[in-house]
Every structure is written in C-alpha cells, then in structure tokens.
Amino acid sequence: MSGGEELAERVHALLAAPRPWSITQAGDPVLRRTTEPYDGQLPDGLLRELLDAMFRHLPGVGVGLAAPQIGIPLALAVIEDPADVPPEIATARERVPQPPLELVNPVVTPLESRYHAFYEGCLSVEGLTAVVPRHARVRLSALDGGGRAYDVELSGWPARIAQHETDHLNGVLYLDRAEPRSLSTVGNYERFWAPPQAERSPG
C-alpha cells in the first residue's frame, strides 16, 4: 500500500469515527514531527471532507485544529474564532472575529518585533495553560482547500491562533514557548487568573 493510500484510509477511518473526535495528546510522536507538505496525497474530495469535518469540530471546543492533532501527519490546519468574549477582554487581547481559514502548507512570517504575552491552552495538552509570548502581527501565506494561494495579515488574537496552529505542523507545542513559572492547571487558572468568561483554546 502506498503512503497516499495509507493516509486516505486513515482519513476515511477518522471521518467515520464517533464525534467529538478524540484529540491526540502530548507524548504522541505525531505531535513532535514536522508534517509532510500537502502535495495531493488525498483525493480532492477527501481533502474537502477532512477540512469541513475539522471546522465542524471547533464550535464550543477551540478556535483552531491542526491535522497532527487528529493523527494525520500532513501540513493542514483550520482556524475560526467567533470571538464571543466580553468587550474588555476583546480589547485587551485584540481579539476580533476571525472568519474561517483553511491552512494548507502555511507559512507565518512576523511583520514586526512587538510581542504580546497571554495565557494560552491547547486541545492536545488537556488540563494545563501557560503564558506564551507571540508576535503581535504576522503574514499568513497558505493555500486553501481548493489549491488557491492567499496571503493575509493578521494581528492580535488571530495572529496568535495562526502561530499556534502552524507550530503544530512543525512539531512544536505551546509549552515549548511558554513562560515556565506561569504554568497552571486550567482549574487554578480559572480560580486565580481567568477573566470573567472562560476562553476557548487555540488548537
């Protein structure tokens, strides 16, 4: 069986699996490997099904999901953030609604030296959160699911989400970039540090 056939079988099995999906957790080697650039390993229709299913996983769960988090070692991710947080949090974190974006072979390029540091979580690191400095403004260059190239400038929270998801495609977890002394259980974060409304994790 070729590598493409094996990946297609894995995706078919994932799409048939009960929802919500079980997200791959830290310690699984797939999260620590650089993903394979997407180059048509899946039939076009199957890629479309996968990306659509990844978006359907997000509501109420997170604002981004990368393929390694569901055991698929390809450079694919999706992001979408309704930014349904109180106005004071939205202002402090420059969190604005981010419409759906499909990230195929994405590259993130910092556009300035300014960083923002905020608590961040991850669907693949259940139960923990920590402060992570991220570039405040970036350029995201990628393909969409139809193979069309695009470039978009992102700032604030959308820039954070894009950096978090592209890190996953390079075998990097947010803990690698976090301030170690800020590490907290989610329970203690909500007890001692959280803003009034809990926030969803990036992927």
Side-chain angles (χ1 to χ4, degrees):
M1 181 183 296
S2 70
E5 290 172 335
E6 182 181 346
L7 275 172
E9 281 200 2
R10 198 179 306 179
V11 171
H12 279 300
L14 179 68
L15 294 173
R19 305 298 178 85
W21 283 330
S22 177
I23 299 299
T24 303
Q25 293 299 302
D28 190 310
V30 72
L31 293 174
R32 288 308 196 175
R33 297 182 186 132
T34 300
T35 53
E36 183 179 347
Y38 184 76
D39 188 25
Q41 292 93 331
L42 304 175
D44 289 346
L46 188 57
L47 174 63
R48 178 77 272 141
E49 286 186 61
L50 175 60
L51 293 173
D52 288 347
M54 290 169 71
F55 276 119
R56 288 196 299 271
H57 184 84
L58 293 181
V61 174
V63 294
L65 184 66
Q69 295 181 278
I70 47 176
I72 307 297
L74 294 174
L76 307 171
V78 299
I79 64 176
E80 181 178 13
D81 183 12
D84 51 356
V85 296
E88 62 273 17
I89 295 175
T91 298
R93 301 196 172 194
E94 297 182 28
R95 186 166 180 179
V96 296
Q98 173 57 54
L101 280 178
E102 299 168 353
L103 283 61
V104 179
N105 300 336
V107 175
V108 166
T109 306
L111 293 177
E112 58 181 58
S113 59
R114 186 168 56 107
Y115 284 80
H116 285 164
F118 291 111
Y119 272 97
E120 193 170 309
C122 180
L123 301 178
S124 290
V125 188
E126 289 183 352
L128 296 175
T129 185
V131 173
V132 183
R134 297 279 190 187
H135 291 283
R137 194 163 67 93
V138 301
R139 173 178 293 109
L140 171 64
S141 303
L143 304 175
D144 65 16
R148 294 172 290 271
Y150 69 88
D151 288 273
V152 62
E153 290 188 13
L154 301 172
S155 61
W157 210 257
R160 175 173 296 270
I161 299 168
Q163 290 169 83
H164 182 111
E165 301 308 329
T166 53
D167 270 355
H168 274 303
L169 305 182
N170 293 303
V172 176
L173 294 177
Y174 84 92
L175 294 175
D176 302 329
R177 303 189 185 281
E179 301 289 348
R181 286 180 60 87
S182 71
L183 186 66
S184 172
T185 64
V186 171
N188 277 339
Y189 167 73
E190 292 174 348
R191 181 182 178 190
F192 297 112
W193 307 105
Q197 177 175 316
E199 301 186 47
R200 297 180 205 156
S201 297

